[in-house]
């Protein structure tokens, strides 16, 4: 579903990604972890073409991001992205948040968009809040709306960038529950997260980044079950986080 091939990226003279290569199969759940500043957000944003890269290529569902003929907005519409900060439109109701992009980007009718959006809202357990504004919801609820909004677009893959790290601890679980459910339903997912419980429970693979490089790319069992075989940096990271 996603092939990241020797991707390098610079911000000016600062190299933020160095020769990153990995791939994600359909239905696979891959957790990306690593120290702050290691390039996790940058890598995930390149997959959604929110950040350009200077070397290598990324192919999403057979479509090359570096091909000048690729319609990036069209591709982006099919890749769901959930950020740390919920980024709902504060002046729009939950239902309007769910339908806007479906109508503007996918060209769905208002009715069609509403049906799909509310179905996804039901899925994240927030139907009763459909007419509220984001400011009237808790952080955990807003993040679940953000997930429902991404799902309303019928994404072929879902990208998450630390979706729970801005939440109060008591709200982390409700967002992780939705992500676990998605993973169990076979959604292809790339998740930057430090929630190692989530990684252990549902991920298939773990990628560990350090200084812009993919240092580890192995199965969950290899990552958690055989720490002695891991790099010094990954071992150090695991010892702090577990
Ligand atoms: P992570 O998500 O792993 O914490 P990021 O991908 O956000 O890491 O950032 C990786 C590195 O790139 C950091 O050193 C950060 O300061 C730098 N960086 C991120 N965004 C920019 C930017 N827009 N311009 C310059 N440097 C950036
Ligand atoms: Mg980040």
């Amino acid at each position: 579903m996603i092939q990241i091939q020797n991707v390098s990226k610079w911000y000016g003279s600062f190299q933020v990604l160095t020769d990153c290569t990995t791939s994600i199969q359909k239905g696979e759940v891959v957790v990306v972890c690593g120290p702050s500043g290691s390039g996790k957000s940058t890598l995930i944003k390149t997959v959604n073409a929110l950040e350009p890269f200077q070397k290598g290529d990324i192919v999403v569902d057979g479509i090359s991001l570096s091909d000048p003929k690729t319609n990036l907005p069209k591709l982006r519409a099919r890749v769901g992205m959930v950020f740390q900060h919920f980024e709902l439109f504060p002046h729009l109701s939950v239902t309007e948040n769910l339908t806007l992009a479906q109508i503007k980007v996918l060209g769905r009718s208002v009715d069609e968009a509403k049906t799909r959006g509310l179905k996804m809202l039901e899925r994240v357990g927030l139907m009763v809040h459909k007419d509220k504004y984001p400011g009237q919801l808790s952080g955990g609820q807003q993040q679940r709306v953000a997930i429902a909004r991404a799902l309303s677009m019928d994404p072929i893959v879902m990208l998450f960038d630390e979706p729970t790290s801005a939440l109060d601890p008591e709200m982390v679980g409700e967002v992780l529950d939705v992500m676990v459910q998605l993973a169990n339903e076979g959604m292809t997912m790339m998740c930057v997260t430090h929630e190692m419980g989530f990684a252990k429970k549902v991920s298939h693979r773990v990628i560990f980044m350090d200084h812009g490089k993919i240092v580890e790319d192995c199965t969950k069992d290899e990552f958690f079950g055989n720490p002695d075989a891991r790099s010094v940096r990954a071992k150090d990271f695991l010892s702090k986080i577990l």
Side-chain angles (χ1 to χ4, degrees):
M1 189 61 83
I2 301 174
Q3 287 155 286
I4 300 174
Q5 301 161 345
N6 306 101
V7 167
S8 293
K9 173 180 174 65
W10 287 260
Y11 285 120
S13 62
F14 173 69
Q15 185 161 12
V16 57
L17 297 176
T18 304
D19 205 24
C20 292
T21 297
T22 190
S23 58
I24 298 177
Q25 311 302 315
K26 193 172 182 339
E28 206 174 18
V29 178
V30 175
V31 160
V32 181
C33 59
S36 180
S38 57
K40 306 179 298 293
S41 294
T42 305
L43 183 69
I44 208 161
K45 280 190 216 149
T46 59
V47 172
N48 204 12
L50 290 173
E51 283 285 354
F53 46 90
Q54 285 81 34
K55 265 193 177 168
D57 197 9
I58 298 181
V59 181
V60 178
D61 198 25
I63 300 165
S64 157
L65 298 194
S66 66
D67 183 343
K69 291 194 290 290
T70 296
N71 181 336
L72 290 181
K74 195 173 159 201
L75 185 94
R76 210 174 279 138
R78 303 184 61 210
V79 178
M81 175 108 199
V82 176
F83 299 92
Q84 182 172 359
H85 298 284
F86 330 120
E87 307 197 4
L88 297 173
F89 299 111
H91 59 293
L92 297 181
S93 71
V94 166
T95 303
E96 288 162 344
N97 265 283
L98 290 168
T99 55
L100 185 69
Q102 292 188 70
I103 298 165
K104 299 267 182 225
V105 181
L106 299 183
R108 288 181 180 161
S109 71
V110 173
D111 279 352
E112 203 182 352
K114 232 178 177 169
T115 304
R116 176 72 186 158
L118 292 179
K119 196 170 162 201
M120 293 304 108
L121 195 63
E122 175 101 75
R123 190 162 161 185
V124 302
L126 294 175
M127 196 56 147
V128 292
H129 299 305
K130 67 182 172 52
D131 297 320
K132 289 196 177 157
Y133 285 82
Q136 297 172 291
L137 302 178
S138 73
Q141 290 170 334
Q142 288 184 52
Q143 194 61 302
R144 283 150 68 198
V145 172
I147 295 172
R149 181 175 63 176
L151 293 174
S152 300
M153 301 291 283
D154 300 322
I156 51 171
V157 49
M158 286 285 288
L159 309 177
F160 292 87
D161 190 1
E162 303 206 36
T164 60
S165 39
L167 296 176
D168 291 335
E170 72 269 22
M171 292 168 191
V172 169
E174 64 189 74
V175 172
L176 289 177
D177 284 348
V178 170
M179 292 170 65
V180 168
Q181 185 193 330
L182 266 184
N184 289 339
E185 286 167 11
M187 175 63 77
T188 310
M189 295 163 69
M190 183 174 183
C191 313
V192 176
T193 182
H194 290 166
E195 293 292 338
M196 292 297 121
F198 171 80
K200 283 183 174 170
K201 198 155 152 191
V202 297
S203 79
H204 300 104
R205 261 176 39 234
V206 178
I207 287 173
F208 176 80
M209 294 188 70
D210 191 31
H211 290 102
K213 290 189 183 134
I214 293 177
V215 180
E216 302 274 357
D217 184 351
C218 56
T219 67
K220 163 180 71 178
D221 292 341
E222 282 170 324
F223 192 73
F224 294 112
N226 192 3
D228 289 339
R230 307 277 68 83
S231 64
V232 175
R233 291 291 290 136
K235 244 194 282 191
D236 183 46
F237 177 80
L238 278 169
S239 74
K240 284 180 187 139
I241 210 162
L242 291 179

